[in-house]
Amino acid sequence: MAGLTAFSLAACSPKGPSRPPCPQGAVCIEAGNVSEPATLDPHKSTGTWEERIISSLIVGLTDADPSGNAVPAMAERWETSADGLTWTFYLRDATWSDGVPVTADDFVFSLRRILDPKTASEYASLLYLIKNAQPVNEGDAQPDALGVRAVSPKVLEIVLEHPAPYLPQLAKHYTMFPVPRHVVEKLGDAWIKPGNYVSNGPYVVTAWKLGDYVQLAKNPRFYEADKVCVDQIRFYPTPDATMAERRVLRGELDMNADMQSNRIAFLREKAPAYVRTHTYLAVTYLAFNAAEPAFKDRRVRLALTMAIDREFIVNKLFRGGQTAAYTFVPPGVAGYEQANAPAWAAWPLERRQAEARRLLTEAGYGPKRPLKVEIKHRNTPDPSLYLPAVQADWKAIGVDASLVQNEVQIAYAAYRARDFQVADAAWIADYNDPMSFLYLQQSATGPQNYGDYSNPAYDALLAKADAEPDAKVRAGYLAEAEKVMLADAPIVPIYFYVNKNFVAPKVTGFVDNIVDQHRARYWCVAATPPSRAAAKPPQG
């Protein structure tokens, strides 16, 4: 490739027997990845830290281009019926990393597998748009009732329950990724182990050192292997963003998938070439566990929602470009005008907190009977920063809130098991459409509807939206549904994200985008870093 060279960024990597050096003459990248992956199985994954690795190994019908847009991948092209319900995908000639051809049958097997209740996929409900997906997933229909079939080895047909013009966007999400049937049927869950893992993407797994790194090497059988620059990538769990930042500046890591928000302004001044932020389709929120007696009362939920000073959090604590959230769907989502915030969002904080005290008193709480709640949260930088402010805001209305920190994987496992009172969570769009957010509070969603919110009126509006072919009318139904949900206050939107990456200037092909998807197949290393990289690394 013009202007690129086989330069190894791993030269300054930590030495030791568990971290062999970059092969001589190869291009290697050391990537901070926030958390340890729980799995590399696309049908059992739930986290972005897993998606970054899995999307380097497996390619779906579509994939993300450097700007995050859906482009043809395993499907070279597709056709849609006039009613928008039948999609026909024409697959390219490609093989798995062991040389076995990738066929439409691999996709049929994979979609049946993720929806099989025995797989226990926590993401299965994302695919309920496929005909009979929900009854299959709930055990009320056999897997062969699913609306997918192999017309021929290279032609896949998918029949939907309702029109979904966003299907190409969804097809680049790991829930629709194929897995190698010939390997999975033989090895079962052991197929994801290094040495067993067979992939169809730009990389293969060569090592997985638990708590240390996952190592990938270029897949010579990938259909565009000649366009893949980086020969080897190691993904490291980096829960401490500040420590990871220092490692990037020392050259031990070449990038990290997070920055501590309240350091962004400092880093922009001292090391501007490393700081990568961008508008992001993501929201941080608190979820109330509907099984908790106090949270059965809407007045309690609403009081806790109103009392939080979101502007202080984003403007004083973070200062990284985040914005206060009074709705759930972020700005910038395709085909959607952001729903109106509740009327109280325009009130001064003092008035909101006075109203919150009144609501709590009505619900039977006060100085003689204070409400006590526990907030379970992730150990990543931003929750640890903003939740003490929430704790203080709730104390101001007479609520005693305690904070319990958990490692990210453990926290989300607790949320899915409903082992919490209040959960600190975040959601990142799986595809650029408002349903990617609104379906979370749908009754049928299952584990990822952490608080078990259920309102037939909300569900009915989402169903009307699904059946509506007119995009503008559909958006109206969705906005109405969001309004219903926000009035019920089963969740507390806190702030809308910016994506935050800390990337060495030598790394090329890393393009900031609204979905924060950065496929490793596009990365490389510049022979000479851009001149803006001359900024001195900060000492703080």
Side-chain angles (χ1 to χ4, degrees):
M1 293 182 179
L4 303 173
T5 185
F7 177 93
S8 172
L9 288 183
C12 297
S13 299
K15 300 298 191 293
S18 65
R19 296 183 183 177
C22 179
Q24 186 173 3
V27 181
C28 296
I29 283 183
E30 311 285 324
N33 193 34
V34 181
S35 187
E36 174 75 26
T39 181
L40 296 181
D41 188 328
H43 300 160
K44 298 184 179 183
S45 171
T46 60
T48 53
W49 52 94
E50 293 159 349
E51 188 266 350
R52 292 185 192 101
I53 302 173
I54 294 171
S55 65
S56 301
L57 300 169
I58 299 182
V59 173
L61 295 168
T62 63
D63 197 9
D65 70 5
S67 296
N69 302 309
V71 293
M74 293 307 297
E76 291 184 305
R77 61 186 178 90
W78 51 86
E79 299 170 352
T80 312
S81 61
D83 61 6
L85 297 179
T86 302
W87 291 65
T88 305
F89 294 89
Y90 298 89
L91 307 187
R92 70 171 65 247
D93 288 327
T95 68
W96 295 99
S97 55
D98 61 359
V100 174
V102 180
T103 67
D105 186 61
D106 285 313
F107 282 91
V108 173
F109 169 79
S110 300
L111 290 168
R112 289 176 177 175
R113 177 178 183 258
I114 189 172
L115 287 160
D116 188 331
K118 295 177 183 176
T119 302
S121 171
E122 293 162 7
Y123 242 133
S125 61
L126 191 63
L127 302 180
Y128 282 3
L129 78 168
I130 300 176
K131 188 172 182 62
N132 293 326
Q134 184 170 351
V136 168
N137 187 236
E138 293 176 350
D140 296 327
Q142 293 300 310
D144 59 6
L146 187 66
V148 295
R149 71 184 182 103
V151 177
S152 71
K154 294 298 179 183
V155 180
L156 173 71
E157 180 183 272
I158 300 179
V159 180
L160 306 182
E161 291 280 1
H162 55 78
Y166 53 84
L167 185 62
Q169 289 274 347
L170 179 57
K172 65 185 173 76
H173 189 263
Y174 50 77
T175 48
M176 288 189 67
F177 280 3
V179 295
R181 178 175 186 171
H182 63 289
V183 177
V184 176
E185 286 188 330
K186 178 181 178 181
L187 299 178
D189 289 343
W191 83 275
I192 66 169
K193 295 181 178 179
N196 294 343
Y197 203 113
V198 171
S199 56
N200 73 329
Y203 292 92
V204 294
V205 179
T206 54
W208 186 355
K209 306 292 184 182
L210 288 176
D212 195 355
Y213 62 81
V214 177
Q215 181 172 286
L216 312 184
K218 187 189 294 187
N219 174 13
R221 289 194 167 103
F222 178 52
Y223 65 86
E224 289 188 339
D226 60 326
K227 298 180 181 179
V228 177
C229 174
V230 177
D231 300 293
Q232 178 181 286
I233 306 171
R234 294 193 189 105
F235 289 95
Y236 299 87
T238 51
D240 186 333
T242 303
M243 179 60 70
E245 164 201 314
R246 293 169 182 156
R247 293 179 66 192
V248 173
L249 293 170
R250 290 198 298 261
E252 297 170 9
L253 294 175
D254 305 314
M255 61 177 69
N256 190 52
D258 197 9
M259 287 182 285
Q260 189 163 305
S261 289
N262 63 348
R263 286 183 62 82
I264 290 176
F266 168 75
L267 292 170
R268 280 183 177 141
E269 180 182 348
K270 300 298 183 182
Y274 291 77
V275 176
R276 311 291 289 268
T277 63
H278 193 277
T279 306
Y280 197 15
L281 298 184
V283 61
T284 283
Y285 66 103
L286 302 177
F288 297 123
N289 190 334
E292 291 291 320
F295 300 143
K296 295 181 185 296
D297 192 322
R298 174 182 173 275
R299 294 170 297 187
V300 173
R301 302 192 304 268
L302 188 56
L304 295 175
T305 300
M306 296 172 70
I308 296 171
D309 188 351
R310 295 159 175 81
E311 280 70 22
F312 173 79
I313 290 169
V314 298
N315 297 327
K316 301 297 184 181
L317 291 181
F318 288 164
R319 308 187 307 277
Q322 298 89 342
T323 56
Y326 294 95
T327 58
F328 192 55
V329 179
V333 171
Y336 191 67
E337 288 189 16
Q338 196 171 16
N340 291 329
W344 56 259
W347 299 353
L349 179 64
E350 293 77 11
R351 180 181 174 187
R352 292 187 352 227
Q353 292 191 337
E355 177 64 9
R357 293 185 199 99
R358 187 190 69 78
L359 289 168
L360 288 173
T361 300
E362 271 192 9
Y365 297 98
K368 293 182 179 179
R369 188 194 175 211
L371 175 62
K372 296 183 178 181
V373 300
E374 178 186 276
I375 306 174
K376 189 163 288 187
H377 70 94
R378 301 158 290 158
N379 69 342
T380 47
D382 287 356
S384 301
L385 191 61
Y386 90 83
L387 282 167
V390 172
Q391 185 181 37
D393 288 337
W394 286 357
K395 183 177 181 181
I397 62 169
V399 175
D400 181 7
S402 58
L403 304 179
V404 175
Q405 177 176 279
N406 283 270
E407 195 274 332
V408 173
Q409 299 275 14
I410 295 171
Y412 277 111
Y415 305 162
R416 292 188 291 267
R418 309 309 191 246
D419 179 21
F420 70 92
Q421 292 180 326
V422 181
D424 147 64
W427 191 255
I428 298 163
D430 295 314
Y431 51 96
N432 191 352
D433 188 87
M435 273 297 288
S436 185
F437 291 89
L438 296 178
Y439 99 98
L440 281 181
Q441 310 307 322
Q442 202 168 16
S443 300
T445 293
Q448 292 176 323
N449 179 357
Y450 303 131
D452 283 325
Y453 173 62
S454 179
N455 183 331
Y458 180 76
D459 292 344
L461 285 164
L462 294 187
K464 286 179 73 173
D466 280 341
E468 178 53 59
D470 186 289
K472 188 172 182 179
V473 176
R474 174 181 181 265
Y477 289 142
L478 294 174
E480 190 177 346
E482 184 174 10
K483 182 179 178 181
V484 168
M485 184 267 291
L486 292 172
D488 284 343
I491 58 169
V492 186
I494 302 293
Y495 61 90
F496 297 124
Y497 272 45
V498 289
N499 53 52
K500 303 172 295 177
N501 293 282
F502 199 62
V503 183
K506 290 179 180 179
V507 178
T508 65
F510 190 102
V511 179
D512 301 326
N513 61 69
I514 199 168
V515 289
D516 200 27
Q517 291 180 339
H518 309 281
R519 301 309 199 215
R521 62 189 284 191
Y522 304 118
W523 299 348
C524 200
V525 179
T528 303
S531 59
R532 67 191 183 102
K536 295 180 179 179
Q539 303 302 310

